[in-house]
Amino acid sequence: MTVAFGGKDSGPVAAPAPGTVDSATQPASPSPSGMPSSKEPELEPPAPPDEAPPASASASASPEADLTAPDGYAKALSTMWGLAPVPCTQHEQQLIDLDDGTSRTEDENNGAVQEPGGAELLYWPDTCTGLGDYQLRALPNTRVGLLRVDAPKSFDSCRAAAGTGFGALALSERNDREDRGFVEGAALCSVTDKGTVAMAVIEHISGDAVDDVSVSGPLHVWAATP
């Protein structure tokens, strides 16, 4: 401690000890690497991300399939079905048997069928203009109808829909498809020549007015028991 003498001084005055400056008025020293001092308030955690957008109306409106088999029918079997057009210059049309989802081709003849062979659906090129022009229809003397996307996917509703009929539909015309209800989540239903109730779910649709449309999805079939 240093003591000063002289004149009328009231007495020795102690010099401040090093490091005793009021911490409230002392500016904070930066931490290494430019990081803020530990005395600074912590940042608030980031806000949680926005919730995922709701599913599309057609998907959310489509109920899960109820595959319960009623008396007189075997447990539902599930496989796949699909429409796969070839270039119309190959002059082929596709026939689909909804008993098991199998398809075959034969020579195209303006929508006329030479050998139905138990098939329920026909997919054929209408005009072969170079644009998407394939048409889909139920074959004559078959029971096929469209089960709409918001209808219950069950044996009873499918058998009832099979009696409503399914006329020719240009699948390349999106507006026509939507007006008719041929959209993802809907189904084509049939009571086949074997007495099977078949529900062909429309799960994927691809193609447009230029490219011929392909369709695929699960096929659920309830076979009649003897």
Side-chain angles (χ1 to χ4, degrees):
M1 181 176 65
T2 304
V3 181
F5 296 92
K8 298 180 179 179
D9 288 342
S10 58
V13 178
T20 59
V21 180
D22 186 358
S23 60
T25 59
Q26 180 73 16
S29 300
S31 59
S33 304
M35 296 298 292
S37 168
S38 60
K39 294 180 180 291
E40 293 184 3
E42 296 182 359
L43 297 177
E44 294 182 0
D50 293 337
E51 294 182 359
S56 65
S58 61
S60 60
S62 177
E64 294 293 328
D66 176 6
L67 302 183
T68 303
D71 293 339
Y73 288 84
K75 178 181 178 181
L77 297 178
S78 298
T79 182
M80 298 293 291
W81 78 289
L83 306 173
V86 298
C88 63
T89 52
Q90 295 188 20
H91 305 291
E92 289 183 0
Q93 58 191 21
Q94 182 183 12
L95 295 98
I96 301 93
D97 189 337
L98 294 179
D99 282 299
D100 53 15
T102 57
S103 66
R104 60 184 176 84
T105 60
E106 65 176 27
D107 290 339
E108 184 270 328
N109 184 22
N110 296 320
V113 177
Q114 302 166 20
E115 296 292 340
E120 283 76 37
L121 297 173
L122 173 67
Y123 197 37
W124 85 101
D126 186 29
T127 60
C128 198
T129 60
L131 300 176
D133 64 353
Y134 265 75
Q135 303 259 346
L136 176 68
R137 68 174 173 89
L139 290 174
N141 302 315
T142 59
R143 291 181 60 188
V144 179
L146 184 70
L147 186 65
R148 299 188 70 86
V149 66
D150 55 351
K153 302 295 186 294
S154 66
F155 175 94
D156 289 337
S157 59
C158 194
R159 183 171 59 177
T164 60
F166 187 77
L169 173 62
L171 292 192
S172 60
E173 299 295 334
R174 184 185 182 94
N175 289 339
D176 291 349
R177 293 201 314 260
E178 293 180 349
D179 288 346
R180 288 274 295 274
F182 193 97
V183 297
E184 293 176 354
L188 287 172
C189 287
S190 176
V191 177
T192 74
D193 60 330
K194 297 179 180 179
T196 297
V197 174
M199 179 167 60
V201 180
I202 304 165
E203 188 172 68
H204 300 290
I205 301 176
S206 61
D208 51 32
V210 177
D211 301 318
D212 286 309
V213 172
S214 296
V215 181
S216 64
L219 172 66
H220 309 295
V221 295
W222 293 269
T225 56

